[in-house]
Amino acid sequence: MEKEVLEVVLKKLDKESRIASIIDLQSVPALPKGENYTSTILRVTAKVVLGNGRLAKKSFIMKQILTGGEAGDWFKENNVAKEESHVYCVIHKNMNYLMEEFEDTDETLWCNFIHYDPKELIIVLEDLKVSGYSVVPRQKGMDLDHAILSLRGLGRYHGMAKVLEERGIISKDDYKPNSLLTDVKVIKSFLHAGILHTSRVMLQCWGQDWEEVGKKLIISFEDFYEKYKNLVKYEESEFTVLNHGDCWSNNMMFKYDFQKRPIAVK
């Protein structure tokens, strides 16, 4: 087949599957109340007409960063939505190119980025549920198979990030600690307050088995801050790499085979 003929065929195929228009739009919460802490997440379902005239349904995730209260002020001040969208549309895009370059046929470790609205602080993403992905219930935790997939995924991510850093796509300046690690007011009102609240809940609601742990968490801010400073010390001479940043079960989704074994993670 000649190149020109194949080009026409591929263009026609792309046009047929492309969204031509949206007929209807509906949105529902993508997560139960209390399952997300930094944003409102909606699942948006669109009834669409494709280029070939066929009716179809398309689903997307719409994530709006919280802007109210002290936490919202911190998110706005630190451009959290802008930083996140930069990772999706610049770093992950270049990781895609890297996988193509090295013929890596594993699934990507991220969902597809669709759009960022800086005025509304909204990020639109691929809906991984449509592709069969789901989260592990946070109360249940991960078994060995899930943990191995997660750690292997982090290793792949760190490796690709290091290559992008060597190529100048990721800057070492991006590794400097943000105010969550350095601002005393944020550490006191957010992190230390969270420790004390956890202690109170343990002592009041979790029963005698947790009493000893609950009492250990009652710590003065001065002692907490000293320990915390040692945890987040940053030396430019150390091996640094772009990492997940909030690596726990609610921020990972898994795909399963017919025997319910996890086979992929994002």
Side-chain angles (χ1 to χ4, degrees):
M1 184 181 289
E2 293 182 0
K3 177 174 73 69
E4 289 78 11
V5 176
L6 182 60
E7 186 177 300
V8 171
V9 170
L10 294 178
K11 284 181 178 179
K12 182 183 176 185
L13 181 67
D14 179 62
K15 183 180 178 182
E16 285 185 347
S17 60
R18 194 183 306 161
I19 295 174
S21 62
I22 295 177
I23 299 174
D24 186 42
L25 210 58
Q26 293 183 339
S27 63
V28 295
L31 294 171
K33 192 173 182 179
E35 289 295 315
N36 205 57
Y37 311 111
T38 63
S39 56
T40 300
I41 298 184
L42 298 176
R43 174 168 284 108
V44 178
T45 303
K47 187 176 180 181
V48 303
V49 179
L50 301 180
N52 60 5
R54 187 173 71 87
L55 292 177
K57 278 188 177 180
K58 299 290 182 180
S59 184
F60 310 96
I61 292 296
M62 188 176 292
K63 176 177 180 178
Q64 183 164 31
I65 305 298
L66 297 179
T67 56
E70 284 190 30
D73 292 340
W74 186 85
F75 295 145
K76 287 185 287 187
E77 184 182 326
N78 287 272
N79 286 323
V80 170
K82 183 180 179 182
E83 291 293 327
E84 183 172 341
S85 65
H86 173 77
V87 171
Y88 283 123
C89 63
V90 176
I91 294 172
H92 288 174
K93 182 185 286 186
N94 278 279
M95 285 181 174
N96 273 322
Y97 297 156
L98 203 60
M99 289 176 68
E100 289 177 12
E101 180 182 338
F102 288 92
E103 299 180 359
D104 181 352
T105 57
D106 280 351
E107 292 215 29
T108 60
L109 292 160
W110 46 86
C111 63
N112 291 321
F113 171 82
I114 297 171
H115 178 67
Y116 166 54
D117 182 340
K119 186 178 179 182
E120 299 291 334
L121 298 183
I122 289 175
I123 298 172
V124 184
L125 302 166
E126 170 192 11
D127 184 1
L128 291 174
K129 188 177 180 181
V130 173
S131 303
Y133 283 84
S134 59
V135 296
V136 173
R138 59 183 170 83
Q139 297 89 347
K140 184 179 176 183
M142 293 186 187
D143 61 16
L144 182 61
D145 289 339
H146 286 86
I148 288 172
L149 260 182
S150 302
L151 290 172
R152 182 176 180 271
L154 288 173
R156 286 178 62 212
Y157 194 84
H158 294 165
M160 286 188 278
K162 205 63 184 171
V163 174
L164 295 186
E165 181 193 313
E166 290 169 355
R167 295 183 178 185
I169 294 165
I170 294 175
S171 168
K172 275 189 174 290
D173 291 338
D174 293 335
Y175 297 150
K176 291 177 180 175
N178 62 37
S179 61
L180 192 62
L181 304 179
T182 57
D183 188 309
V184 176
K185 182 183 176 183
V186 172
I187 294 168
K188 187 171 186 177
S189 62
F190 181 47
L191 301 174
H192 181 245
I195 293 287
L196 295 182
H197 180 68
T198 303
S199 170
R200 283 195 296 272
V201 172
M202 279 184 171
L203 294 173
Q204 292 171 13
C205 308
W206 287 26
Q208 288 185 339
D209 290 346
W210 291 93
E211 191 172 327
E212 185 180 351
V213 177
K215 287 178 178 178
K216 283 183 178 180
L217 291 180
I218 301 172
I219 181 173
S220 70
F221 177 69
E222 290 71 23
D223 290 341
F224 175 83
Y225 187 52
E226 280 303 309
K227 292 176 183 290
Y228 187 74
K229 279 195 300 186
N230 291 329
L231 287 175
V232 300
K233 278 182 180 175
Y234 168 77
E235 298 291 341
E236 291 193 9
S237 59
E238 291 178 341
F239 183 86
T240 51
V241 67
L242 181 74
N243 60 52
H244 189 298
D246 196 7
C247 180
W248 74 296
S249 58
N250 265 27
N251 286 334
M252 291 180 247
M253 297 184 75
F254 294 89
K255 194 173 186 178
Y256 300 86
D257 66 10
F258 71 101
Q259 292 180 310
K260 304 299 182 184
R261 294 176 303 196
I263 55 173
V265 62
K266 288 186 187 283

